[in-house]
Amino acid sequence: RSPNKRESRYFGKLNIKVLRENGQLVGFVAYYMKNFFLGQLLFLAVNPEFRGKGYAQQLMKYAIDDMKQMGASMITLVTRTS
């Protein structure tokens, strides 16, 4: 259900933001707007070397704020057990 070639209504809509510190990859967040009021956060990952420092919170806040600016009044988070 993420933006892909088969779902043309989502084409070009996936936002991926990368966080770096001193040139090293800290983590990333990927999200998009499913429609004019619903945002979906797909991925949030932080390099194990940088965990426990609040970077995931920064990435999540950035994505939520950005989706709110795009009109989101509701945001869903995709989770997996693995």
Side-chain angles (χ1 to χ4, degrees), residues 34-72:
K34 285 191 88 156
N35 57 42
F36 70 95
F37 71 91
L38 177 61
Q40 181 142 13
L41 200 144
L42 294 175
F43 301 103
L44 175 66
V46 175
N47 184 333
E49 297 174 25
F50 292 95
R51 291 184 183 161
K53 298 179 181 178
Y55 290 120
Q57 184 176 356
Q58 288 179 24
L59 288 164
M60 180 75 80
K61 181 174 177 3
Y62 181 91
I64 290 170
D65 290 346
D66 197 28
M67 285 186 276
K68 282 182 179 178
Q69 285 184 340
M70 289 187 260

Side-chain angles (χ1 to χ4, degrees), residues 4-81:
N4 59 57
K5 293 177 185 175
R6 295 176 302 281
E7 294 275 350
S8 61
R9 63 186 167 166
Y10 299 135
F11 184 76
K13 305 289 185 191
L14 183 65
N15 294 284
I16 301 172
K17 302 302 178 186
V18 175
L19 180 60
R20 294 181 179 274
E21 183 177 275
N22 298 323
Q24 289 187 292
L25 176 65
V26 171
F28 76 97
V29 64
Y31 57 94
Y32 71 103
M33 294 294 293
K34 285 191 88 156
N35 57 42
F36 70 95
F37 71 91
L38 177 61
Q40 181 142 13
L41 200 144
L42 294 175
F43 301 103
L44 175 66
V46 175
N47 184 333
E49 297 174 25
F50 292 95
R51 291 184 183 161
K53 298 179 181 178
Y55 290 120
Q57 184 176 356
Q58 288 179 24
L59 288 164
M60 180 75 80
K61 181 174 177 3
Y62 181 91
I64 290 170
D65 290 346
D66 197 28
M67 285 186 276
K68 282 182 179 178
Q69 285 184 340
M70 289 187 260
S73 59
M74 185 167 57
I75 297 170
T76 59
L77 170 65
V78 176
T79 60
R80 295 186 181 142
T81 57

